Coordinates of all heavy atoms in Angstrom, one line a residue:
M1 N 111.3 115.1 118.9 CA 110.4 115.5 119.9 C 110.1 114.4 120.8 O 110.1 113.2 120.4 CB 109.0 115.9 119.1 CG 108.0 116.4 120.1 SD 106.5 117.0 119.2 CE 107.2 118.5 118.6
S2 N 110.0 114.6 122.1 CA 109.8 113.6 123.0 C 108.3 113.3 123.2 O 107.4 114.0 122.8 CB 110.4 114.0 124.4 OG 109.7 115.1 124.9
S3 N 108.0 112.1 123.9 CA 106.6 111.7 124.1 C 106.1 112.6 125.2 O 106.8 113.2 126.0 CB 106.6 110.3 124.4 OG 107.3 110.0 125.6
D4 N 104.7 112.5 125.3 CA 104.0 113.3 126.3 C 104.3 112.7 127.7 O 104.1 111.5 127.9 CB 102.5 113.2 126.0 CG 101.6 114.1 126.9 OD1 102.0 114.3 128.0 OD2 100.6 114.6 126.3
E5 N 104.7 113.5 128.6 CA 105.0 113.0 130.0 C 103.8 112.4 130.7 O 104.0 111.6 131.6 CB 105.7 114.1 130.8 CG 107.1 114.4 130.3 CD 107.7 115.5 131.2 OE1 107.2 115.9 132.2 OE2 108.8 116.0 130.7
R6 N 102.6 112.8 130.3 CA 101.4 112.3 130.9 C 101.2 110.8 130.6 O 100.6 110.1 131.4 CB 100.2 113.0 130.5 CG 100.2 114.5 130.9 CD 99.0 115.2 130.3 NE 99.2 115.3 128.9 CZ 98.3 115.7 128.0 NH1 97.2 116.2 128.4 NH2 98.6 115.8 126.7
L7 N 101.8 110.3 129.6 CA 101.7 108.9 129.1 C 102.7 108.1 129.9 O 102.5 106.9 130.1 CB 102.0 108.9 127.6 CG 101.9 107.5 127.0 CD1 100.5 106.9 127.1 CD2 102.3 107.6 125.5
Q8 N 103.8 108.7 130.3 CA 104.9 107.9 130.9 C 104.7 107.6 132.3 O 104.5 108.5 133.2 CB 106.2 108.7 130.7 CG 106.6 108.9 129.3 CD 107.9 109.8 129.2 OE1 108.5 110.1 130.1 NE2 108.2 110.2 128.0
N9 N 104.7 106.3 132.6 CA 104.6 105.8 134.0 C 105.1 104.3 134.0 O 105.3 103.7 132.9 CB 103.2 105.9 134.5 CG 102.2 105.1 133.8 OD1 102.3 103.9 133.6 ND2 101.1 105.7 133.3
P10 N 105.3 103.8 135.1 CA 105.9 102.4 135.2 C 105.0 101.4 134.5 O 105.5 100.4 133.9 CB 106.0 102.1 136.7 CG 106.2 103.5 137.3 CD 105.3 104.4 136.5
L11 N 103.7 101.5 134.5 CA 102.8 100.5 133.9 C 102.9 100.6 132.4 O 103.0 99.6 131.7 CB 101.4 100.7 134.3 CG 101.0 100.4 135.8 CD1 99.6 100.7 136.1 CD2 101.3 99.0 136.1
T12 N 103.0 101.8 131.8 CA 103.1 102.0 130.4 C 104.5 101.5 129.9 O 104.7 100.9 128.9 CB 102.9 103.4 130.0 OG1 101.6 103.8 130.5 CG2 102.9 103.6 128.5
D13 N 105.5 101.9 130.7 CA 106.9 101.4 130.4 C 106.9 99.9 130.3 O 107.5 99.3 129.4 CB 107.9 101.8 131.5 CG 108.2 103.3 131.5 OD1 107.9 104.0 130.5 OD2 108.8 103.7 132.5
A14 N 106.3 99.2 131.3 CA 106.2 97.7 131.3 C 105.5 97.2 130.1 O 105.9 96.2 129.5 CB 105.6 97.2 132.6
L15 N 104.4 97.8 129.7 CA 103.7 97.4 128.5 C 104.6 97.5 127.2 O 104.7 96.6 126.5 CB 102.4 98.3 128.3 CG 101.7 98.1 126.9 CD1 101.2 96.7 126.8 CD2 100.6 99.1 126.8
F16 N 105.2 98.7 127.1 CA 106.1 98.8 125.9 C 107.3 97.9 125.9 O 107.7 97.4 124.8 CB 106.5 100.3 125.8 CG 105.4 101.3 125.4 CD1 105.5 102.6 125.8 CD2 104.2 100.8 124.8 CE1 104.5 103.5 125.5 CE2 103.2 101.7 124.5 CZ 103.3 103.0 124.9
E17 N 107.8 97.6 127.1 CA 108.9 96.7 127.2 C 108.5 95.3 126.8 O 109.2 94.5 126.1 CB 109.5 96.7 128.6 CG 110.3 98.0 128.8 CD 110.7 98.2 130.3 OE1 110.4 97.3 131.1 OE2 111.2 99.3 130.6
A18 N 107.2 94.9 127.2 CA 106.7 93.6 126.8 C 106.5 93.6 125.3 O 106.8 92.6 124.6 CB 105.3 93.4 127.5
I19 N 106.0 94.6 124.7 CA 105.7 94.6 123.2 C 107.1 94.5 122.5 O 107.1 93.8 121.5 CB 105.0 95.9 122.8 CG1 103.6 95.9 123.3 CG2 105.1 96.1 121.3 CD1 102.8 97.2 123.2
L20 N 108.1 95.1 123.0 CA 109.4 95.0 122.4 C 110.0 93.6 122.4 O 110.9 93.2 121.7 CB 110.4 96.0 123.0 CG 110.1 97.5 122.7 CD1 111.0 98.4 123.5 CD2 110.4 97.7 121.2
L21 N 109.5 92.7 123.3 CA 109.9 91.3 123.4 C 109.3 90.4 122.3 O 109.7 89.3 122.1 CB 109.6 90.8 124.8 CG 110.4 91.4 125.9 CD1 109.9 90.9 127.2 CD2 111.9 91.2 125.7
L22 N 108.2 90.9 121.7 CA 107.5 90.1 120.7 C 108.5 89.9 119.5 O 109.1 90.9 119.0 CB 106.2 90.7 120.2 CG 105.2 90.9 121.4 CD1 104.0 91.7 121.0 CD2 104.7 89.5 121.8
R23 N 108.6 88.7 118.9 CA 109.5 88.4 117.9 C 109.0 88.2 116.5 O 109.7 88.4 115.5 CB 110.3 87.2 118.3 CG 111.2 87.4 119.5 CD 112.1 86.2 119.8 NE 112.9 86.5 121.0 CZ 113.1 85.6 121.9 NH1 112.6 84.4 121.8 NH2 113.8 85.9 123.0
T24 N 107.7 87.8 116.4 CA 107.1 87.6 115.1 C 105.7 88.2 115.0 O 105.1 88.6 116.0 CB 106.9 86.0 114.9 OG1 106.0 85.6 115.9 CG2 108.3 85.3 115.1
K25 N 105.2 88.3 113.8 CA 103.9 88.8 113.6 C 102.9 87.9 114.3 O 101.9 88.4 114.9 CB 103.6 88.8 112.1 CG 102.3 89.6 111.8 CD 102.0 89.6 110.3 CE 103.1 90.0 109.4 NZ 102.7 90.0 108.0
E26 N 103.1 86.6 114.3 CA 102.2 85.7 115.0 C 102.1 86.0 116.5 O 101.1 86.0 117.1 CB 102.5 84.2 114.7 CG 101.7 83.2 115.4 CD 100.2 83.3 115.1 OE1 99.8 83.7 114.0 OE2 99.4 83.0 116.0
E27 N 103.3 86.2 117.1 CA 103.3 86.6 118.5 C 102.6 87.9 118.8 O 101.9 88.0 119.8 CB 104.8 86.7 119.0 CG 105.5 85.4 119.1 CD 106.9 85.5 119.6 OE1 107.4 86.7 119.8 OE2 107.6 84.5 119.8
C28 N 102.7 88.8 117.9 CA 102.0 90.1 118.0 C 100.5 89.8 118.0 O 99.7 90.3 118.8 CB 102.4 91.0 116.9 SG 104.0 91.7 117.0
Y29 N 100.0 89.0 117.0 CA 98.6 88.7 116.9 C 98.1 88.1 118.3 O 97.1 88.4 118.8 CB 98.3 87.7 115.8 CG 98.0 88.4 114.5 CD1 99.0 88.4 113.5 CD2 96.8 89.0 114.2 CE1 98.7 89.0 112.3 CE2 96.5 89.6 113.0 CZ 97.5 89.6 112.0 OH 97.2 90.2 110.8
R30 N 98.9 87.1 118.8 CA 98.5 86.4 120.0 C 98.4 87.4 121.2 O 97.5 87.3 122.0 CB 99.4 85.2 120.3 CG 99.3 84.1 119.2 CD 100.3 83.1 119.3 NE 100.5 82.5 120.6 CZ 101.6 81.9 121.0 NH1 102.6 81.7 120.1 NH2 101.7 81.4 122.2
F31 N 99.5 88.2 121.3 CA 99.5 89.1 122.5 C 98.4 90.1 122.4 O 97.7 90.4 123.4 CB 100.9 89.8 122.6 CG 101.0 90.8 123.7 CD1 101.0 90.3 125.0 CD2 101.1 92.1 123.4 CE1 101.1 91.3 126.0 CE2 101.2 93.0 124.4 CZ 101.2 92.6 125.8
F32 N 98.3 90.8 121.2 CA 97.3 91.9 121.1 C 95.9 91.3 121.2 O 95.0 92.0 121.7 CB 97.5 92.7 119.8 CG 98.6 93.7 120.0 CD1 99.9 93.4 119.7 CD2 98.3 94.9 120.5 CE1 100.9 94.3 119.9 CE2 99.3 95.9 120.7 CZ 100.7 95.6 120.4
E33 N 95.6 90.1 120.7 CA 94.3 89.5 120.8 C 93.9 89.4 122.3 O 92.8 89.5 122.7 CB 94.2 88.2 120.1 CG 92.9 87.6 120.1 CD 92.8 86.3 119.3 OE1 93.7 86.1 118.4 OE2 91.9 85.5 119.6
D34 N 94.9 89.1 123.1 CA 94.7 88.9 124.6 C 94.5 90.2 125.3 O 93.8 90.3 126.3 CB 95.8 88.1 125.2 CG 95.7 86.6 124.9 OD1 94.6 86.1 124.4 OD2 96.6 85.8 125.2
I35 N 95.3 91.2 124.9 CA 95.4 92.5 125.7 C 94.4 93.5 125.2 O 94.1 94.5 126.0 CB 96.8 93.0 125.7 CG1 97.0 93.9 126.8 CG2 97.2 93.7 124.3 CD1 98.5 94.3 127.1
A36 N 93.9 93.4 124.0 CA 93.0 94.5 123.5 C 91.8 93.8 122.8 O 91.9 92.6 122.4 CB 93.8 95.3 122.5
T37 N 90.8 94.6 122.6 CA 89.6 94.1 121.8 C 89.9 94.1 120.4 O 90.9 94.9 119.9 CB 88.4 95.0 122.1 OG1 88.6 96.3 121.5 CG2 88.0 95.0 123.6
I38 N 89.2 93.4 119.6 CA 89.4 93.4 118.1 C 89.1 94.8 117.6 O 89.9 95.3 116.8 CB 88.4 92.4 117.5 CG1 88.9 91.0 117.8 CG2 88.4 92.6 116.0 CD1 88.0 89.8 117.4
A39 N 88.1 95.5 118.1 CA 87.8 96.9 117.7 C 89.0 97.8 118.0 O 89.3 98.7 117.2 CB 86.6 97.4 118.4
E40 N 89.7 97.7 119.1 CA 90.8 98.5 119.5 C 92.0 98.3 118.5 O 92.6 99.2 118.1 CB 91.2 98.3 120.9 CG 90.2 98.8 121.9 CD 90.5 98.3 123.4 OE1 91.1 97.2 123.5 OE2 90.1 99.0 124.3
I41 N 92.2 97.0 118.2 CA 93.3 96.7 117.3 C 93.0 97.2 115.9 O 93.9 97.8 115.3 CB 93.5 95.1 117.3 CG1 94.0 94.6 118.7 CG2 94.6 94.7 116.3 CD1 93.9 93.1 118.9
K42 N 91.8 97.0 115.5 CA 91.4 97.5 114.1 C 91.5 99.0 114.1 O 91.9 99.6 113.1 CB 90.0 97.0 113.8 CG 90.0 95.6 113.4 CD 88.6 95.1 112.9 CE 88.7 93.7 112.4 NZ 87.4 93.3 111.8
A43 N 91.1 99.7 115.1 CA 91.2 101.2 115.2 C 92.7 101.6 115.0 O 93.0 102.6 114.3 CB 90.6 101.7 116.4
L44 N 93.6 101.0 115.7 CA 95.0 101.3 115.6 C 95.5 101.0 114.2 O 96.3 101.9 113.6 CB 95.8 100.5 116.6 CG 95.6 100.8 118.1 CD1 96.3 99.8 119.0 CD2 96.1 102.2 118.4
A45 N 95.1 99.9 113.6 CA 95.5 99.6 112.3 C 95.0 100.6 111.3 O 95.7 101.0 110.3 CB 95.1 98.1 111.9
Q46 N 93.8 101.0 111.5 CA 93.2 102.0 110.6 C 93.9 103.3 110.7 O 94.2 104.0 109.6 CB 91.7 102.3 110.9 CG 90.8 101.1 110.5 CD 89.4 101.4 111.1 OE1 89.2 101.8 112.2 NE2 88.4 101.0 110.3
R47 N 94.3 103.7 111.9 CA 95.0 105.0 112.0 C 96.4 104.9 111.3 O 96.8 105.9 110.7 CB 95.2 105.3 113.5 CG 93.9 105.7 114.1 CD 94.0 106.0 115.6 NE 92.7 106.3 116.2 CZ 92.5 106.4 117.5 NH1 93.5 106.3 118.3 NH2 91.3 106.6 117.9
L48 N 97.1 103.8 111.4 CA 98.3 103.7 110.7 C 98.1 103.8 109.2 O 98.9 104.5 108.5 CB 99.0 102.4 111.0 CG 100.4 102.1 110.3 CD1 101.4 103.2 110.6 CD2 100.9 100.8 110.7
E49 N 97.1 103.2 108.7 CA 96.8 103.2 107.2 C 96.4 104.7 106.8 O 96.8 105.2 105.8 CB 95.6 102.3 106.8 CG 95.4 102.2 105.4 CD 96.5 101.8 104.5 OE1 97.4 101.0 105.0 OE2 96.6 102.1 103.3
V50 N 95.7 105.4 107.7 CA 95.3 106.8 107.4 C 96.6 107.6 107.3 O 96.8 108.4 106.4 CB 94.4 107.3 108.5 CG1 94.3 108.9 108.5 CG2 93.0 106.7 108.5
A51 N 97.6 107.4 108.2 CA 98.8 108.1 108.2 C 99.6 107.8 106.9 O 100.1 108.7 106.3 CB 99.7 107.7 109.4
K52 N 99.6 106.6 106.5 CA 100.3 106.2 105.2 C 99.6 106.9 104.0 O 100.3 107.5 103.2 CB 100.2 104.7 105.0 CG 101.0 103.9 105.9 CD 100.8 102.4 105.6 CE 101.5 101.4 106.5 NZ 101.1 100.0 106.2
M53 N 98.3 107.0 104.0 CA 97.6 107.6 102.9 C 97.7 109.1 102.9 O 97.9 109.7 101.9 CB 96.1 107.2 103.0 CG 95.9 105.7 102.7 SD 94.2 105.2 102.8 CE 93.6 105.7 101.2
L54 N 97.8 109.7 104.1 CA 98.0 111.2 104.2 C 99.4 111.5 103.7 O 99.6 112.5 103.0 CB 97.8 111.6 105.7 CG 96.4 111.8 106.2 CD1 96.4 112.0 107.7 CD2 95.7 112.9 105.4
K55 N 100.3 110.6 104.1 CA 101.7 110.9 103.6 C 101.8 110.8 102.1 O 102.7 111.5 101.5 CB 102.6 109.8 104.2 CG 104.1 110.1 104.2 CD 104.4 111.1 105.2 CE 105.9 111.2 105.3 NZ 106.4 112.4 106.0
R56 N 100.9 110.0 101.5 CA 100.9 110.0 100.0 C 100.0 111.0 99.4 O 99.7 111.0 98.2 CB 100.4 108.6 99.6 CG 101.3 107.4 99.9 CD 100.9 106.1 99.2 NE 99.5 105.7 99.4 CZ 99.2 104.8 100.3 NH1 100.1 104.2 101.1 NH2 97.9 104.4 100.5
N57 N 99.5 112.0 100.3 CA 98.7 113.1 99.8 C 97.3 112.7 99.3 O 96.8 113.3 98.4 CB 99.4 114.0 98.8 CG 100.6 114.7 99.5 OD1 100.5 115.2 100.6 ND2 101.7 114.7 98.8
E58 N 96.8 111.6 99.7 CA 95.5 111.1 99.3 C 94.4 112.0 100.0 O 94.6 112.5 101.0 CB 95.3 109.6 99.6 CG 96.3 108.8 98.8 CD 96.0 107.3 98.7 OE1 94.8 107.0 98.7 OE2 96.9 106.6 98.7
T59 N 93.3 112.1 99.3 CA 92.2 113.0 99.8 C 91.5 112.3 101.0 O 91.5 111.1 101.2 CB 91.2 113.2 98.7 OG1 90.5 112.0 98.4 CG2 91.8 113.8 97.5
Y60 N 90.8 113.2 101.8 CA 90.0 112.7 102.9 C 89.0 111.7 102.4 O 88.7 110.7 103.0 CB 89.4 113.8 103.6 CG 90.2 114.5 104.7 CD1 91.6 114.7 104.5 CD2 89.6 115.0 105.9 CE1 92.3 115.4 105.5 CE2 90.4 115.6 106.9 CZ 91.7 115.8 106.7 OH 92.5 116.4 107.6
T61 N 88.4 112.0 101.3 CA 87.3 111.2 100.7 C 87.8 109.8 100.4 O 87.2 108.8 100.7 CB 86.7 111.8 99.4 OG1 86.2 113.1 99.8 CG2 85.6 111.0 98.9
A62 N 89.0 109.7 99.8 CA 89.6 108.4 99.4 C 90.0 107.7 100.7 O 89.8 106.5 100.8 CB 90.9 108.6 98.6
I63 N 90.5 108.4 101.7 CA 90.9 107.7 102.9 C 89.7 107.2 103.7 O 89.7 106.1 104.2 CB 91.7 108.7 103.8 CG1 93.0 109.1 103.1 CG2 92.0 108.2 105.2 CD1 93.8 110.3 103.8
E64 N 88.7 108.0 103.7 CA 87.4 107.6 104.4 C 86.9 106.3 103.7 O 86.4 105.4 104.4 CB 86.4 108.7 104.4 CG 85.2 108.5 105.2 CD 84.3 109.8 105.2 OE1 84.4 110.6 104.2 OE2 83.5 109.9 106.1
K65 N 86.9 106.3 102.4 CA 86.4 105.2 101.6 C 87.1 103.9 101.9 O 86.6 102.8 102.1 CB 86.3 105.5 100.1 CG 85.7 104.4 99.3 CD 85.7 104.9 97.8 CE 85.1 103.8 97.0 NZ 85.1 104.1 95.6
V66 N 88.5 104.0 101.9 CA 89.3 102.8 102.0 C 89.3 102.3 103.5 O 89.3 101.1 103.7 CB 90.8 103.1 101.6 CG1 91.7 102.0 102.0 CG2 90.8 103.3 100.1
T67 N 89.4 103.2 104.4 CA 89.6 102.8 105.8 C 88.3 102.7 106.6 O 88.3 102.0 107.6 CB 90.6 103.8 106.6 OG1 89.9 105.1 106.6 CG2 91.9 103.9 105.9
G68 N 87.3 103.5 106.2 CA 86.1 103.5 107.0 C 86.1 104.4 108.2 O 85.1 104.5 108.9
V69 N 87.2 105.2 108.4 CA 87.2 106.1 109.5 C 86.6 107.4 109.2 O 86.3 107.8 108.1 CB 88.7 106.3 110.0 CG1 89.4 105.1 110.3 CG2 89.5 107.1 109.0
S70 N 86.2 108.1 110.3 CA 85.6 109.4 110.1 C 86.6 110.5 109.7 O 87.8 110.3 109.9 CB 84.9 109.8 111.4 OG 85.9 110.1 112.4
T71 N 86.1 111.6 109.2 CA 86.9 112.7 108.9 C 87.6 113.3 110.1 O 88.7 113.8 110.1 CB 86.2 113.8 108.1 OG1 85.1 114.2 108.9 CG2 85.8 113.3 106.7
A72 N 86.9 113.1 111.3 CA 87.5 113.6 112.5 C 88.8 112.8 112.9 O 89.8 113.3 113.3 CB 86.5 113.5 113.7
T73 N 88.7 111.5 112.7 CA 89.9 110.6 112.9 C 91.0 111.0 111.9 O 92.2 111.1 112.3 CB 89.5 109.1 112.8 OG1 88.5 108.9 113.8 CG2 90.7 108.2 113.0
I74 N 90.6 111.2 110.7 CA 91.6 111.6 109.7 C 92.3 112.9 110.1 O 93.6 113.0 110.1 CB 91.0 111.7 108.3 CG1 90.4 110.4 107.8 CG2 92.0 112.2 107.3 CD1 89.5 110.5 106.6
S75 N 91.5 113.9 110.5 CA 92.1 115.1 111.0 C 93.0 115.0 112.2 O 94.1 115.6 112.3 CB 91.0 116.1 111.4 OG 90.2 116.4 110.2
R76 N 92.6 114.1 113.1 CA 93.4 113.8 114.3 C 94.8 113.2 113.9 O 95.8 113.6 114.4 CB 92.7 112.9 115.2 CG 93.0 113.0 116.7 CD 92.1 112.2 117.6 NE 90.7 112.6 117.5 CZ 89.7 111.7 117.1 NH1 90.0 110.5 116.8 NH2 88.5 112.2 117.0
V77 N 94.7 112.3 113.0 CA 96.0 111.6 112.5 C 96.8 112.7 111.8 O 98.1 112.8 112.0 CB 95.7 110.4 111.6 CG1 97.0 109.9 111.0 CG2 95.0 109.3 112.4
K78 N 96.2 113.5 111.0 CA 97.0 114.5 110.3 C 97.6 115.5 111.2 O 98.8 115.9 111.0 CB 96.1 115.3 109.3 CG 96.8 116.3 108.4 CD 95.9 116.9 107.4 CE 96.7 117.8 106.5 NZ 96.0 118.3 105.3
R79 N 96.9 115.9 112.3 CA 97.5 116.8 113.3 C 98.7 116.1 114.0 O 99.7 116.8 114.2 CB 96.4 117.2 114.3 CG 96.9 118.2 115.3 CD 95.7 118.7 116.2 NE 94.9 117.7 116.8 CZ 93.7 117.4 116.5 NH1 93.1 118.1 115.5 NH2 93.0 116.5 117.1
C80 N 98.6 114.8 114.3 CA 99.7 114.1 114.8 C 100.9 114.0 113.9 O 102.1 114.1 114.3 CB 99.3 112.7 115.3 SG 98.3 112.7 116.7
L81 N 100.6 113.8 112.6 CA 101.7 113.8 111.6 C 102.4 115.1 111.5 O 103.6 115.1 111.4 CB 101.1 113.5 110.2 CG 100.9 112.0 109.8 CD1 100.1 111.9 108.5 CD2 102.3 111.4 109.7
N82 N 101.7 116.2 111.7 CA 102.3 117.5 111.5 C 102.8 118.1 112.8 O 103.8 118.8 112.8 CB 101.3 118.5 110.9 CG 100.9 118.2 109.5 OD1 101.8 117.7 108.8 ND2 99.7 118.4 109.1
F83 N 102.2 117.8 113.9 CA 102.5 118.5 115.2 C 102.7 117.5 116.4 O 102.8 117.9 117.5 CB 101.5 119.5 115.6 CG 101.2 120.5 114.5 CD1 100.0 120.4 113.8 CD2 102.1 121.5 114.1 CE1 99.7 121.4 112.7 CE2 101.9 122.4 113.1 CZ 100.7 122.3 112.4
G84 N 102.7 116.2 116.1 CA 102.8 115.2 117.2 C 104.2 114.9 117.7 O 105.1 115.7 117.5
A85 N 104.3 113.8 118.3 CA 105.6 113.4 118.9 C 106.5 112.7 117.8 O 107.6 112.2 118.2 CB 105.4 112.4 120.0
D86 N 106.2 112.8 116.6 CA 106.9 112.2 115.4 C 106.9 110.7 115.4 O 107.8 110.1 114.7 CB 108.4 112.7 115.4 CG 108.4 114.2 115.0 OD1 107.5 114.6 114.3 OD2 109.4 114.9 115.3
G87 N 106.0 110.1 116.2 CA 105.9 108.6 116.2 C 105.5 108.1 114.8 O 106.0 107.1 114.3
Y88 N 104.5 108.7 114.2 CA 104.0 108.3 112.9 C 105.2 108.5 111.9 O 105.5 107.6 111.1 CB 102.8 109.1 112.4 CG 101.5 108.7 112.9 CD1 100.7 109.6 113.6 CD2 101.0 107.4 112.6 CE1 99.4 109.2 114.0 CE2 99.8 107.0 113.1 CZ 99.0 107.9 113.8 OH 97.7 107.5 114.2
Q89 N 105.9 109.6 111.9 CA 107.0 109.9 111.0 C 108.0 108.8 111.1 O 108.6 108.3 110.1 CB 107.6 111.3 111.3 CG 106.6 112.4 111.1 CD 106.1 112.6 109.7 OE1 106.6 112.0 108.7 NE2 105.2 113.6 109.5
L90 N 108.4 108.5 112.4 CA 109.4 107.4 112.6 C 109.0 106.1 112.0 O 109.8 105.5 111.3 CB 109.6 107.3 114.1 CG 110.5 106.2 114.6 CD1 111.9 106.5 114.2 CD2 110.4 105.9 116.1
I91 N 107.8 105.7 112.3 CA 107.4 104.3 111.8 C 107.2 104.3 110.3 O 107.5 103.4 109.6 CB 106.2 103.8 112.5 CG1 106.1 102.2 112.4 CG2 104.9 104.4 112.1 CD1 107.3 101.5 113.0
L92 N 106.7 105.4 109.7 CA 106.5 105.5 108.3 C 107.8 105.5 107.6 O 108.0 104.9 106.5 CB 105.6 106.7 107.9 CG 104.2 106.7 108.3 CD1 103.5 108.1 108.0 CD2 103.4 105.6 107.7
S93 N 108.8 106.2 108.1 CA 110.1 106.2 107.5 C 110.7 104.8 107.6 O 111.3 104.3 106.6 CB 111.0 107.2 108.3 OG 112.3 107.1 107.9
R94 N 110.6 104.1 108.7 CA 111.1 102.7 108.8 C 110.4 101.7 107.9 O 111.0 100.9 107.3 CB 111.1 102.2 110.2 CG 112.1 103.0 111.1 CD 112.2 102.4 112.4 NE 113.2 103.2 113.2 CZ 113.3 103.2 114.5 NH1 112.6 102.3 115.2 NH2 114.2 103.9 115.1
L95 N 109.1 101.9 107.7 CA 108.4 101.1 106.8 C 108.8 101.3 105.4 O 109.0 100.3 104.6 CB 106.9 101.3 106.9 CG 106.2 100.8 108.2 CD1 104.8 101.3 108.4 CD2 106.2 99.2 108.2
Q96 N 109.1 102.6 105.0 CA 109.6 102.9 103.7 C 110.9 102.3 103.4 O 111.2 101.7 102.4 CB 109.6 104.4 103.5 CG 110.0 104.8 102.1 CD 109.1 104.4 101.0 OE1 107.9 104.5 101.2 NE2 109.6 103.8 100.0
E97 N 111.8 102.4 104.4 CA 113.2 101.8 104.3 C 113.0 100.2 104.1 O 113.8 99.7 103.3 CB 114.0 102.0 105.6 CG 114.4 103.4 105.7 CD 115.1 103.7 107.1 OE1 115.3 102.8 107.9 OE2 115.3 104.9 107.4
Q98 N 112.1 99.6 104.8 CA 111.9 98.2 104.7 C 111.4 97.8 103.3 O 111.8 96.7 102.8 CB 110.9 97.7 105.8 CG 110.7 96.2 105.9 CD 109.7 95.9 106.9 OE1 108.6 96.5 107.0 NE2 110.0 94.9 107.7
N99 N 110.6 98.7 102.7 CA 110.1 98.4 101.4 C 111.0 98.7 100.3 O 110.8 98.3 99.1 CB 108.8 99.1 101.2 CG 107.7 98.5 102.1 OD1 107.7 97.4 102.4 ND2 106.7 99.4 102.4
D100 N 112.1 99.5 100.6 CA 113.0 99.9 99.5 C 114.0 98.8 99.2 O 114.2 97.8 99.9 CB 113.8 101.1 99.9 CG 112.9 102.4 99.8 OD1 111.8 102.3 99.1 OD2 113.2 103.4 100.3

C-alpha cells in the first residue's frame, strides 16, 4: 500500500531524506531534539510501543498501563496496523528480523 498523497510534498520529501542521512542513534537524538518537542518525540515512541504491544495481542488495559496513552490512541494505532499504509507492519517486521 502506498502512502497518503496528501502527505507527499517537497518539504516532507526533504525531511525524510534528511532523516535517512542519520547514521547513529546519537545523531537521531540530536536531530529530533532540535526539530521536535520532547512531547512530540515521546508521543511517536509511545505509538510505536503501542503497535508492538498490539502485535503481541496485549490488552488495551495493559497497553494503557505501560505506555500511558489513551484508549483512543490505542484504537488509532490499531486501525493503522489493520488498514493503514503498512508502515507499522514494515518497521515491526524489520525490528523482529533484527532481534532474531
Side-chain angles (χ1 to χ4, degrees):
M1 182 173 288
S2 64
S3 61
D4 190 326
E5 290 180 9
R6 296 173 295 174
L7 180 62
Q8 296 178 6
N9 64 54
L11 293 176
T12 306
D13 287 348
L15 171 63
F16 292 157
E17 288 166 9
I19 291 169
L20 290 170
L21 294 174
L22 298 169
R23 294 187 180 135
T24 66
K25 191 185 307 184
E26 178 59 30
E27 287 181 358
C28 288
Y29 272 104
R30 290 169 51 199
F31 178 70
F32 279 93
E33 186 176 336
D34 284 350
I35 201 167
T37 66
I38 291 172
E40 290 167 335
I41 298 166
K42 285 185 174 186
L44 293 172
Q46 287 172 320
R47 289 177 186 173
L48 179 57
E49 185 60 26
V50 168
K52 290 176 185 177
M53 295 178 79
L54 285 168
K55 197 75 171 165
R56 293 192 304 262
N57 295 316
E58 298 196 32
T59 66
Y60 275 38
T61 304
I63 295 169
E64 190 175 22
K65 183 177 180 183
V66 169
T67 65
V69 303
S70 68
T71 55
T73 297
I74 298 168
S75 295
R76 205 171 304 120
V77 172
K78 185 172 185 173
R79 186 171 49 251
C80 289
L81 271 171
N82 294 325
F83 306 108
D86 289 335
Y88 278 122
Q89 299 293 356
L90 174 70
I91 201 65
L92 293 175
S93 174
R94 289 189 182 165
L95 288 168
Q96 183 62 46
E97 289 171 9
Q98 185 181 43
N99 290 333
D100 287 344

